[in-house]
Amino acid sequence: MVKGADTAAIYSDLQDKLINGFFGAGEKLKPGALQGTYGCSANTIRDVLLRLSAVGLVSFELQRGFRTKPSSQAIRSDVTRFRIMLEQEGAARSMVHGGVAWEAQLTAAHHKLVHIETRIARESGAPGDDKALWSAAEYDFHRTLISACDSPILLESFESIYLQFRQQMFALERDFGGDYFRAIIAEHQAILDVALGRDETACRAAIHDHLKRNL
Amino acid sequence: MVKGADTAAIYSDLQDKLINGFFGAGEKLKPGALQGTYGCSANTIRDVLLRLSAVGLVSFELQRGFRTKPSSQAIRSDVTRFRIMLEQEGAARSMVHGGVAWEAQLTAAHHKLVHIETRIARESGAPGDDKALWSAAEYDFHRTLISACDSPILLESFESIYLQFRQQMFALERDFGGDYFRAIIAEHQAILDVALGRDETACRAAIHDHLKRNL
DNA sequence: AAAGAAAAAAATTTCGAAATTATCTGGATT
DNA sequence: AATCCAGATAATTTCGAAATTTTTTTCTTT
């Protein structure tokens, strides 16, 4: 992160750091300290942190400033449960509203994802340098799954919850192992199959099965 | 709204104005103009608007500032649908997790609500001065209905969606009429009954019935 | 040793000006 | 008449200092 960066880069870097565990859970985020890191005014950091609080990655309390979100098994379960609900609903509506274009996009997103996951599973089970690639592809698959739901507010909520989900899962994902990736490869495939088959009940079950390890 | 007010009061006043249609849908909110209204710095208004964007009452776009949310039948349906989903899920989980205290609180909240609604229905069907009282009691009832869901993230999402729902419904609620209030008195009663009876399926249906006019 | 109060230090918030970007207006060109 | 461009204007963003609030430290009392 280069000093003197513009605020878009600062936002992006802080978002990455918030998701990837650079700060501890519940840690105080002081604009006065971060201004040194980023080479800008503390008030600019405040702006960025307020925007990050809008997507749920930061807790803000008037007069007491900013903290990273707390983390616990209960919170992970809560976020997971909420994500399941959103994704099930979004997928169900997408199966109703989505046409061939949606199927094509979902198939393409899945293709990319399974390609990365297969490589990771074969090599060592630890994504290493592929973490960002895998993370982006995983998000893309799930976001595309619900993309035809015709509900802007659901999509917006999902995007924010997905970030929070990744943030909460960071520590748990450190030790993946090949078995983990082989399992989720199968789970992603199952989701794709039932979604393309437009079987709502099975799709809801597949999404739940995919995420239940985090409940 | 008195000049020189502190930022909590500014936040509250702007929130009221955003919900109650003081600004037009999609209207530009200029900190430079609002600083005059509130007797503070434009940067303070920016802070407040960023915080209001976190709860979904304001749209923010980098470099292009703030606008009130657009409004349309499609958006109203979307917000309503999302609210139904949250409330059904929240109520279902509350019926599982909630004990006697939850029942008592829900009964009390309903009692207050039906009292206000009965008076409004009897008088004219137009809440007039009672609008704020009714609005608060209506929120209290629905929020209490889901309060035992044991999901902080669902509650937080509901609170924000409820505000957005009120904002979107503002114009439609101007001409209530006595029939409207008699109908929703019955609907609130139905929700209370099935919730206390812990009948999930009926409760989901009652919530949907209560809100379906806005779909 | 524990509790409370006061002072000091640190952090947050607000301010208003400067820097930067977006939007609007008028004129030129096709 | 429609489109494009340059300049002016308006608005947004960033800055860093001042004002305000919170937290920490130190001292006193029980």
Side-chain angles (χ1 to χ4, degrees), chain B residues 75-89:
Chain B
I75 293 172
R76 279 192 289 277
S77 295
D78 193 25
V79 173
T80 302
R81 203 182 297 119
F82 198 71
R83 179 184 158 186
I84 290 172
M85 180 183 72
L86 293 180
E87 201 163 321
Q88 286 179 332
E89 186 67 20

Side-chain angles (χ1 to χ4, degrees), chain A residues 28 30-31 43 46 62-63:
Chain A
K28 196 74 186 289
K30 301 182 187 181
N43 201 57
R46 178 180 174 82
L62 210 48
Q63 300 293 350

Side-chain angles (χ1 to χ4, degrees), chain A residues 62-118:
Chain A
L62 210 48
Q63 300 293 350
R64 288 179 172 72
F66 303 89
R67 286 186 185 273
T68 57
K69 286 295 195 80
S71 191
S72 69
Q73 178 50 44
I75 294 172
R76 279 192 289 278
S77 295
D78 193 25
V79 173
T80 301
R81 202 182 298 119
F82 198 72
R83 179 184 158 186
I84 290 172
M85 180 182 72
L86 293 180
E87 201 162 322
Q88 286 180 333
E89 185 68 20
R93 289 180 57 88
S94 292
M95 285 182 274
V96 171
H97 293 101
V100 171
W102 170 70
E103 294 184 9
Q105 287 152 15
L106 187 59
T107 302
H110 178 259
H111 182 81
K112 217 181 337 181
L113 178 60
V114 77
H115 178 81
I116 293 169
E117 285 176 338
T118 303

Side-chain angles (χ1 to χ4, degrees), chain A:
Chain A
M1 188 67 226
V2 188
K3 290 206 174 188
D6 68 9
T7 60
I10 296 170
Y11 181 96
S12 183
D13 191 65
L14 273 176
Q15 180 173 301
D16 281 349
K17 286 189 158 69
L18 287 163
I19 292 172
N20 295 316
F22 179 81
F23 305 105
E27 181 174 333
K28 196 74 186 289
L29 303 172
K30 301 182 187 181
L34 289 169
Q35 83 181 84
T37 303
Y38 292 107
C40 65
S41 155
N43 201 57
T44 299
I45 299 289
R46 178 180 174 82
D47 238 47
V48 171
L49 289 175
L50 273 174
R51 286 164 51 210
L52 285 165
S53 77
V55 298
L57 287 177
V58 172
S59 292
F60 170 70
E61 197 176 354
L62 210 48
Q63 300 293 350
R64 288 179 172 72
F66 303 89
R67 286 186 185 273
T68 57
K69 286 295 195 80
S71 191
S72 69
Q73 178 50 44
I75 294 172
R76 279 192 289 278
S77 295
D78 193 25
V79 173
T80 301
R81 202 182 298 119
F82 198 72
R83 179 184 158 186
I84 290 172
M85 180 182 72
L86 293 180
E87 201 162 322
Q88 286 180 333
E89 185 68 20
R93 289 180 57 88
S94 292
M95 285 182 274
V96 171
H97 293 101
V100 171
W102 170 70
E103 294 184 9
Q105 287 152 15
L106 187 59
T107 302
H110 178 259
H111 182 81
K112 217 181 337 181
L113 178 60
V114 77
H115 178 81
I116 293 169
E117 285 176 338
T118 303
R119 193 174 73 216
I120 293 170
R122 196 174 50 216
E123 287 177 354
S124 66
D129 291 341
D130 287 333
K131 177 70 189 289
L133 268 186
W134 172 74
S135 199
E138 220 263 345
Y139 169 74
D140 196 42
F141 175 70
H142 289 277
R143 175 64 175 69
T144 306
L145 176 66
I146 67 171
S147 62
C149 67
D150 193 28
S151 171
I153 200 167
L154 191 150
L155 290 173
E156 189 183 342
S157 188
F158 177 82
E159 284 154 14
S160 160
I161 298 303
Y162 186 86
L163 288 178
Q164 291 175 59
F165 178 83
R166 280 275 151 256
Q167 183 185 42
Q168 291 289 331
M169 297 304 151
F170 171 76
L172 299 187
E173 292 175 341
R174 224 176 277 148
D175 304 313
F176 286 129
D179 285 350
Y180 174 77
F181 274 92
R182 279 184 283 277
I184 63 171
I185 289 169
E187 287 158 21
H188 285 137
Q189 185 68 56
I191 291 171
L192 177 73
D193 293 341
V194 291
L196 294 183
R198 310 211 175 210
D199 183 340
E200 178 181 338
T201 303
C203 192
R204 285 177 180 268
I207 289 164
H208 183 267
D209 286 346
H210 176 48
L211 294 167
K212 71 186 176 186
R213 65 172 60 79
N214 305 305
L215 283 173

